[in-house]
Amino acid sequence: KNINVRNIPNLERAKEIKEGNKIDYKSNLPEEPAHPQPVEVRHKHHKDSDIPGDRGHGVIPPPRDPDGLGEMGKPVRLANLTQIQQALVKDGWDKNAFNQYVSDLISLHRSLPDVRDKECRDNTYLDDLPQTSVIVCFHNEAWSVLLRTVHSILNRSPPHLLKEVILVDDFSDIPHLSRQLEDYITQYPKVRVVRARRREGLIRCRLLGASVATAPVLTYLDSHCECTEGWLEPLLDRIARNFTTVVCPVIDVISDDTFEYNFRDSSSLNVGGFDWNLQFNWHGIPDSEKKRRKHPWEPVWSPTMAGGLFAIEKNFFEKLGTYDSGFDIWGGENLELSFKTWMCHGTLEIVPCSHVGHIFRKRSPYKWRSGVNVLKRNSVRLAEVWLDDYAKYYYQRIGYDLGDFGDVSSRKELRKQLKCRNFDWYLKNVYPELFIPGEAVASGEVRNLGEGSIICLDSPARRDDLHKPVGLYPCHGQGGNQFWMLSKEGEIRRDEACLDFAGQDVILYPCHGSKGNQFWNYDPNNHSIQHGSSRKCLEMARNKQQVLMRDCTGSYLQQWKFQNYNPS
Ligand code: UD2
Ligand code: MN
């Protein structure tokens, strides 16, 4: 077997690999809290060879109409709906946060375009790729969306590489997902349903799936995905070459409204990052990565993963301590696995030859636990265990209110046993692009100094809509939209977004690092904030809502104070 030794941290490990690649990772692991026992649904057993259709995985699908709605990933736009239909459309949106009515009109076996770069079709992969168990967790997923996920896996995975599809039901309470689902999948011997006995949340659900999986590689997908041709082989190939590589497909966008399949070509690929709210985000491939790779279709190193779609060698996942099972419902687990992978001697990659579509929703349609801020609790656990001293930047964002985050001692122990590198190493080597708040010259709110003024610089803009002008709002002392950082380079930043003035409004714009419209000079003596290229000064409008850019006058309307100012 062709093993790439680039990532092997020490001799001992290299020796273990030589001796047959069989490492008993489990024996050095701390005890995990017990996972609830799954209830498994069994079905009649067929031999694989008995079953035609769906690429040898089950019954022959009904003939597909090549001009049918949504075929080839085309958008479905409905017009002239009756009132009843309109009510159904609304109901579908309410229940799922996507247009279920449209999904129900599209074949469960619909065709998709082959979106890969041409080179990907010609690539050859290792002959002896490992098999995989595909694990799909769902909670109250729409029938057509869930089953289209399943059929896209069956249809577009080479039969010899797909060991099984494990559907893990996270205690859904809509009827079609019980008996009807069991009856339906008896036609497909590779598909198994496992049910959680109480609401576990997606993280423990994924662990439940892993605990019953039988293939050496685990592949996780969300329950509203569609796999495209050739998605699986390039993922397994990377793991076969180096079992410490964790791989993600390119995540294409299935429209939540029309179900159009929109793909990203490898020239506009993004990698994953995060900000100090510990929120995942996407950004362009850094120059160092562009240089390291010879072709756009080659795997690209990514500091983090989005979380839902990835493949990992099962033993390596276990070695890394899987997920922190103290994480509830949703969130944080993607960063945990990303940090661990890099810090504990693995590699995280996005594989441009592998494309899987996902329905991105604008809100979460299901119930969360009431009375607890689940995401914050998960993030605090993450910060406590993996961020070392850098945890303070996250704590600053949540007002140092850590809340009850439970016991993390076994996770800290795990990190110690694995001899993982520290977070400082990770930031310097894996994610040097990230702005470190401690390097800011000034931070906090930016308050106007006019007499009796309690007005602060404020921007509600989010990463995906940065174009709203930056404005003013009564100071609230909560950070958030009023939290700013002045960098040594003269940027006024909110994480990766920078205050930018191009002659019109003052807006937030992705930081580009080349000064120009993003260069500001703060003078702590006369309290002016002067813009570099235009030489104008930031001014409070008399309505105390907008900011203006005017010739510098020294007027109190142009006087500002950063909450913390510590030049070094
Ligand atoms: C993203 C990830 C998702 C997960 C999450 C952070 C992608 C494309 N998606 O959010 O996989 O990493 O970030 O935690 O990378 N589910 C359950 N039980 C629950 C809640 C959810 O089984 O209590 C299932 C749900 O049906 C879905 C999956 O978990 O299949 C992910 O949930 P989501 O689709 O709401 O998350 P998403 O895509 O917004
Ligand atoms: Mn999802």
Side-chain angles (χ1 to χ4, degrees):
K1 208 156 168 190
N2 192 352
I3 292 172
N4 173 352
V5 290
R6 188 178 60 76
N7 286 305
I8 294 170
N10 56 38
L11 273 177
E12 203 180 287
R13 179 106 164 268
K15 207 175 101 222
E16 285 173 324
I17 292 164
K18 250 200 201 137
E19 287 167 5
N21 208 353
K22 289 192 207 86
I23 308 171
D24 182 13
Y25 293 121
K26 269 197 170 145
S27 58
N28 4 334
L29 283 178
E31 273 211 358
E32 288 281 336
H35 303 310
Q37 283 304 303
V39 191
E40 170 132 25
V41 182
R42 303 218 168 267
H43 46 59
K44 296 182 268 203
H45 209 77
H46 310 257
K47 264 190 280 157
D48 263 21
S49 53
D50 294 344
I51 297 122
D54 260 13
R55 221 161 158 172
H57 293 304
V59 293
I60 302 177
R64 210 168 13 82
D65 171 5
D67 300 320
L69 288 176
E71 291 297 330
M72 289 310 279
K74 291 213 187 71
V76 177
R77 295 196 177 88
L78 302 174
N80 307 324
L81 296 184
T82 65
Q83 278 203 327
I84 293 174
Q85 286 170 321
Q86 286 172 22
L88 291 171
V89 169
K90 180 176 179 305
D91 188 53
W93 274 105
D94 289 347
K95 290 195 173 118
N96 304 282
F98 54 66
N99 196 340
Q100 184 203 329
Y101 188 82
V102 159
S103 173
D104 291 351
L105 296 173
I106 300 172
S107 163
L108 298 182
H109 305 261
R110 81 154 160 181
S111 53
L112 291 177
D114 186 341
V115 298
R116 295 170 292 175
D117 280 10
K118 187 192 150 295
E119 290 83 350
C120 301
R121 282 168 242 170
D122 307 335
N123 273 353
T124 51
Y125 301 109
L126 296 180
D127 290 335
D128 55 346
L129 293 177
Q131 284 199 312
T132 188
S133 302
V134 179
I135 301 173
V136 177
C137 292
F138 64 92
H139 177 73
N140 288 351
E141 190 60 273
W143 174 265
S144 58
V145 166
L146 177 65
L147 272 302
R148 194 172 300 110
T149 306
V150 173
H151 284 295
S152 78
I153 300 165
L154 295 175
N155 263 319
R156 301 201 182 87
S157 308
H160 69 286
L161 297 180
L162 182 69
K163 180 88 187 275
E164 60 201 346
V165 179
I166 301 173
L167 302 177
V168 190
D169 174 9
D170 188 10
F171 209 57
S172 300
D173 53 12
I174 42 181
H176 68 246
L177 295 173
S178 54
R179 271 305 294 278
Q180 192 183 336
L181 181 63
E182 276 161 39
D183 289 348
Y184 187 88
I185 61 139
T186 52
Q187 305 168 291
Y188 302 94
K190 281 194 182 175
V191 184
R192 308 160 62 186
V193 177
V194 172
R195 299 193 193 272
R197 282 200 274 200
R198 55 167 195 220
R199 176 78 181 279
E200 294 292 352
L202 99 96
I203 292 132
R204 285 188 300 271
C205 231
R206 286 192 190 146
L207 296 176
L208 208 65
S211 71
V212 302
T214 57
V217 174
L218 306 177
T219 303
Y220 285 99
L221 298 177
D222 275 7
S223 49
H224 32 258
C225 288
E226 286 176 69
C227 303
T228 66
E229 195 55 45
W231 74 287
L232 186 59
E233 299 90 322
L235 298 178
L236 297 178
D237 185 75
R238 298 302 294 170
I239 294 175
R241 287 172 199 273
N242 181 344
F243 71 92
T244 68
T245 305
V246 179
V247 284
C248 304
V250 175
I251 308 178
D252 292 330
V253 176
I254 301 170
S255 159
D256 56 352
D257 185 20
T258 65
F259 281 70
E260 179 175 20
Y261 193 100
N262 289 294
F263 72 99
R264 211 166 238 294
D265 61 32
S266 53
S267 60
S268 65
L269 212 68
N270 279 328
V271 295
F274 67 92
D275 62 31
W276 292 105
N277 294 306
L278 295 185
Q279 271 165 26
F280 170 87
N281 57 33
W282 294 106
H283 52 96
I285 301 181
D287 291 338
S288 56
E289 262 306 272
K290 287 193 182 136
K291 281 195 205 108
R292 189 184 64 86
R293 296 148 67 243
K294 289 185 201 70
H295 308 284
W297 48 264
E298 278 179 31
V300 45
W301 287 343
S302 182
T304 68
M305 65 158 88
L309 289 62
F310 67 97
I312 188 166
E313 207 234 13
K314 196 174 172 212
N315 288 331
F316 186 59
F317 192 39
E318 281 166 8
K319 183 196 172 196
L320 292 178
T322 64
Y323 288 124
D324 177 352
S325 61
F327 281 18
D328 206 9
I329 307 287
W330 185 103
E333 94 296 343
N334 54 332
L335 298 186
E336 192 214 15
L337 186 55
S338 308
F339 297 160
K340 272 195 312 204
T341 298
W342 284 110
M343 290 164 69
C344 312
H345 318 291
T347 309
L348 178 60
E349 294 181 343
I350 293 171
V351 181
C353 283
S354 171
H355 282 255
V356 177
H358 171 262
I359 307 173
F360 289 89
R361 291 178 289 203
K362 295 179 187 74
R363 66 177 175 89
S364 175
Y366 39 76
K367 283 204 197 77
W368 287 52
R369 263 195 240 296
S370 52
V372 216
N373 185 342
V374 169
L375 183 58
K376 181 175 115 179
R377 190 174 183 277
N378 294 353
S379 300
V380 171
R381 290 182 71 88
L382 169 70
E384 279 293 301
V385 178
W386 296 99
L387 261 57
D388 304 324
D389 195 34
Y390 289 91
K392 66 182 180 214
Y393 299 129
Y394 171 60
Y395 297 155
Q396 183 178 34
R397 300 299 173 91
I398 57 169
Y400 299 97
D401 172 18
L402 273 54
D404 170 17
F405 57 86
D407 178 13
V408 292
S409 52
S410 69
R411 304 304 290 179
K412 286 187 167 164
E413 186 55 28
L414 166 80
R415 177 176 165 183
K416 219 160 88 198
Q417 287 196 16
L418 289 172
K419 302 198 169 57
C420 304
R421 302 181 215 254
N422 61 29
F423 202 66
D424 189 60
W425 175 89
Y426 170 85
L427 290 177
K428 294 200 165 103
N429 293 278
V430 182
Y431 197 18
E433 299 80 29
L434 183 67
F435 181 74
I436 311 293
E439 290 167 11
V441 181
S443 65
E445 62 179 32
V446 179
R447 186 186 280 243
N448 183 276
L449 279 185
E451 213 177 315
S453 170
I454 38 145
I455 299 297
C456 279
L457 199 60
D458 188 299
S459 169
R462 292 277 163 266
R463 241 190 100 83
D464 27 13
D465 84 296
L466 286 176
H467 299 284
K468 286 187 206 134
V470 172
L472 297 172
Y473 199 80
C475 305
H476 53 48
Q478 313 271 311
N481 293 343
Q482 298 185 353
F483 187 88
W484 303 97
M485 294 175 287
L486 176 65
S487 74
K488 284 195 201 77
E489 290 74 26
E491 299 148 325
I492 298 178
R493 309 183 59 123
R494 158 96 36 88
D495 290 317
E496 304 312 308
C498 275
L499 221 60
D500 190 301
F501 176 63
Q504 289 270 321
D505 290 322
V506 178
I507 58 166
L508 277 175
Y509 196 81
C511 302
H512 49 53
S514 26
K515 304 206 178 216
N517 292 342
Q518 297 184 352
F519 180 73
W520 304 85
N521 184 35
Y522 175 58
D523 182 337
N525 299 314
N526 69 13
H527 300 290
S528 65
I529 297 181
Q530 190 180 19
H531 185 240
S533 50
S534 68
R535 314 300 303 158
K536 291 191 187 305
C537 278
L538 191 73
E539 181 172 302
M540 172 167 79
R542 293 201 178 268
N543 67 10
K544 300 189 174 179
Q545 288 171 16
Q546 284 144 297
V547 289
L548 307 169
M549 294 300 294
R550 292 285 183 266
D551 292 335
C552 300
T553 60
S555 133
Y556 77 89
L557 295 172
Q558 294 186 356
Q559 293 182 22
W560 306 89
K561 189 172 182 312
F562 269 91
Q563 189 176 6
N564 315 297
Y565 179 68
N566 22 1
S568 40

